[in-house]
């Protein structure tokens, strides 16, 4: 029996080796190296000091957080209204819309950036139309990035909200009306409290999704717009002036912001549960 | 809700559909336009960009490189993950919870973090970059393959079938190849198609780890974007076409499986 167990365990060895080599060890190495200075190779908190004191790096963090917050808040709020509207249509229309959403959720990264460049770039179709009415639009700014980010956040938000809306039991409404509740009271007392946890959960997923997004931002701006993800890319894999340890420290900051977002989400939910319940 | 009140919902949904479809539609028109630079409407329609795309040897090479990289990585993923998931759920049930949380970890891990860890660890050692990308691909699709294999293992009553086979004197290998594999074939196919479409759109890891040294279709698109907008849009349309076929197949096989189990 002991021998059988050993033999079974041997089957797991390739998986354990690959997992350690490609995920575990690189992650540990990333954390360790973020505490070593690139120029001298000595142990220090220099990288973190640099990130938070030099505007060039700290702006990348605030830009990323702002862009992710804005695009995830817009994505979640639009998503919740649009999903509600979708569930009010006939089943056939719903299925067709879900197909479109599925197709557009593949549409991210480089191809998406390209489509927005021909749509809204300097000689883009809509940019030209706007020029006729004397409106200037620049895709490679903050507003442009939010517009592109919302494009890939919205389908994800709808996909996450759709099963939640389908989970609303028609009997809740009937029960509420039988007990004399108005439509308004039914929404405020039953539907909204039911939706709130999913709303914050979706917001957190979208935030993490935007914080980690690299391909879209890189293809759109070529790294000229200062973001955490594109900055990490330039520091670790550029042709010139790579500072891998500083890049690791920034990657650690990125991971931390996502963990903090998750933590805030849990805190908010805990507080809400106490207030509602 | 009365019928007459439905128009606001249709309005909202139409606006959404327009927002989602316009970038796709404009890319399609651009790929068919003879020239579309300073005017609002294209000056004529043509298929020459598609012809140029298929005649471009760098495009064909990028396509072949992408397919080779994905197929080799996927073969390794299946060869490693399949026995691992089966052995863990059959013989180490107490480890299953831990295993699951480990395997699902990459869902939450952005490619940029994985890439910087890999570069940090292996840049000083002479490891072929292509092997690193293959390893990264392994990690990217691991959660999807795990879910697919595990769900199909649990959807049929595998443990009682295996018990029956053991009683009838079948050995481990026989059980693996004549009971487990045939029953989860379809589940593996669906998660492989899904993994394939994810890797087909992979840019971050490939670009950061190997970059232009191994030009995949995504990196090709990124490069040609700066050269010709028309060929790029033809590439984007062809790319979305392939992905649509993959999604269609995934939906087809998933529904087929459900119907069978009812």
């Amino acid at each position: 029996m002991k021998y059988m167990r050993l033999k079974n365990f041997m089957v797991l060895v390739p998986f354990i080796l690959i997992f350690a080599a490609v995920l575990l060890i690189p992650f540990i190495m990333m954390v360790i190296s973020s505490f070593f200075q690139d120029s001298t190779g000595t142990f220090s908190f220099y990288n973190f000091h640099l990130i938070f004191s030099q505007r060039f790096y700290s702006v990348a963090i605030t830009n990323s957080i702002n862009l992710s917050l804005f695009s995830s808040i817009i994505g979640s709020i639009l998503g919740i209204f649009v999903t509600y509207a979708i569930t009010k249509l006939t089943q056939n229309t719903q299925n067709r819309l879900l197909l479109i959403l599925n197709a557009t959720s593949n549409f991210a990264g480089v191809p998406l950036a390209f489509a927005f460049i021909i749509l809204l770039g300097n000689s883009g179709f809509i940019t030209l139309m706007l020029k006729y009415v004397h409106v200037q639009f620049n895709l490679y700014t903050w507003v442009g990035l939010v517009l592109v980010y919302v494009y890939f956040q919205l389908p994800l938000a709808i996909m996450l909200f759709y099963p939640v809306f389908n989970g609303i039991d028609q009997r809740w409404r009937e029960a509420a009306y039988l007990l004399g509740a108005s439509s308004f009271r039914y929404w405020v007392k039953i539907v909204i409290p039911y939706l709130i946890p999913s709303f914050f959960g979706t917001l957190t997923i979208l935030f993490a999704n935007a914080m980690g997004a690299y391909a879209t931002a890189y293809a759109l701006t070529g790294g000229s717009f200062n973001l955490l993800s594109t900055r990490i890319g330039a520091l670790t894999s550029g042709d010139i002036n790579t500072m891998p340890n500083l890049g690791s420290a920034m990657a650690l900051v990125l991971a931390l912001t996502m963990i903090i977002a998750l933590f805030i989400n849990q805190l908010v939910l805990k507080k809400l549960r106490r207030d509602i319940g | 809700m009365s019928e007459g009140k439905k128009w606001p919902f249709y309005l909202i949904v139409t606006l959404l559909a327009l927002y989602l479809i316009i970038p796709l539609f404009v890319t399609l028109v651009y790929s068919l336009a003879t020239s579309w630079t300073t005017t609002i409407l294209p000056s004529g329609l043509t298929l020459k960009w598609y012809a140029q795309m298929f005649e471009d040897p760098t495009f064909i090479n990028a396509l072949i490189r992408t397919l080779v990289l994905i197929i080799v990585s996927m073969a390794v993923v299946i060869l490693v993950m399949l026995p691992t998931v089966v052995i863990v759920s059959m013989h180490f049930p107490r480890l299953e919870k831990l295993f699951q949380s480990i395997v699902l970890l990459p869902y939450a891990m952005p490619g940029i973090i994985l890439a910087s860890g890999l570069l940090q660890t292996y840049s000083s050692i002479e490891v072929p970059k292509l092997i690193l990308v293959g390893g990264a691909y392994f990690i990217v699709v691991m959660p999807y393959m795990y879910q697919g294999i595990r769900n199909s293992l649990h959807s049929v009553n595998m443990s009682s079938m295996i018990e029956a086979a053991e009683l009838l004197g079948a050995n481990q290998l026989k059980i693996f190849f004549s009971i487990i594999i045939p029953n989860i074939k379809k589940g593996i196919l669906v998660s492989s198609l899904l993994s394939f479409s994810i890797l087909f759109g992979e840019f971050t890891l490939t670009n950061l780890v190997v970059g232009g040294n191994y030009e995949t279709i995504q990196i090709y698109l990124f490069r040609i974007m700066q050269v010709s907008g028309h060929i790029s849009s033809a590439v984007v349309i062809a790319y979305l076409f392939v992905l649509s076929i993959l999604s269609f197949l995934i939906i087809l096989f998933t529904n087929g499986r459900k119907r069978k189990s009812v």
Side-chain angles (χ1 to χ4, degrees), chain A residues 150-162:
Chain A
V150 169
Y151 186 93
F152 69 73
Q153 299 272 47
L154 193 54
L156 179 61
I158 297 170
M159 300 284 219
L160 291 169
F161 283 133
Y162 189 69

Side-chain angles (χ1 to χ4, degrees), chain B residues 161-178:
Chain B
M161 276 205 286
I162 289 170
E163 261 170 46
E166 276 170 348
L167 278 176
L168 293 170
N171 64 16
Q172 293 268 346
L173 276 181
K174 177 93 179 151
I175 289 173
F176 186 73
F177 285 106
S178 12

Side-chain angles (χ1 to χ4, degrees), chain B residues 44-64:
Chain B
L45 295 178
T46 173
L47 278 173
K48 74 172 177 194
W49 308 115
Y50 288 90
Q52 274 189 26
M53 173 181 86
F54 284 115
E55 279 162 13
D56 182 4
T58 58
F59 169 76
I60 303 295
N61 285 336
L63 194 61
I64 293 169

Side-chain angles (χ1 to χ4, degrees), chain B residues 116-226:
Chain B
S116 67
L118 279 172
L119 289 168
Q120 178 71 255
T121 313
Y122 296 105
S123 56
S124 48
I125 316 164
E126 279 303 310
V127 179
K129 290 279 165 57
L130 216 49
I131 291 183
L132 287 187
V133 176
Y137 279 18
F138 186 100
I139 296 296
V140 168
V141 299
M142 183 171 74
Y144 302 94
M145 289 308 291
Y146 168 74
Q147 297 273 43
I149 296 170
R150 210 193 93 97
N151 290 350
S152 38
L153 266 183
H154 287 248
S155 68
V156 280
N157 198 348
M158 199 62 82
S159 50
S160 57
M161 276 205 286
I162 289 170
E163 261 170 46
E166 276 170 348
L167 278 176
L168 293 170
N171 64 16
Q172 293 268 346
L173 276 181
K174 177 93 179 151
I175 289 173
F176 186 73
F177 285 106
S178 12
I179 296 180
I180 297 175
I181 295 282
N183 275 299
I184 61 174
K185 236 174 17 197
K186 212 158 197 181
I188 296 173
L189 180 67
V190 170
S191 39
S192 302
L193 286 171
L194 181 64
S195 305
F196 186 93
S197 63
I198 289 166
L199 293 180
F200 205 59
E202 216 298 314
F203 175 78
T204 306
L205 287 160
T206 327
N207 185 47
L208 289 173
V209 179
V210 277
N213 295 327
Y214 190 86
E215 195 175 80
T216 61
I217 202 75
Q218 290 279 326
I219 296 175
Y220 169 81
L221 174 62
F222 180 72
R223 186 173 58 82
I224 203 91
M225 244 168 77
Q226 274 97 16

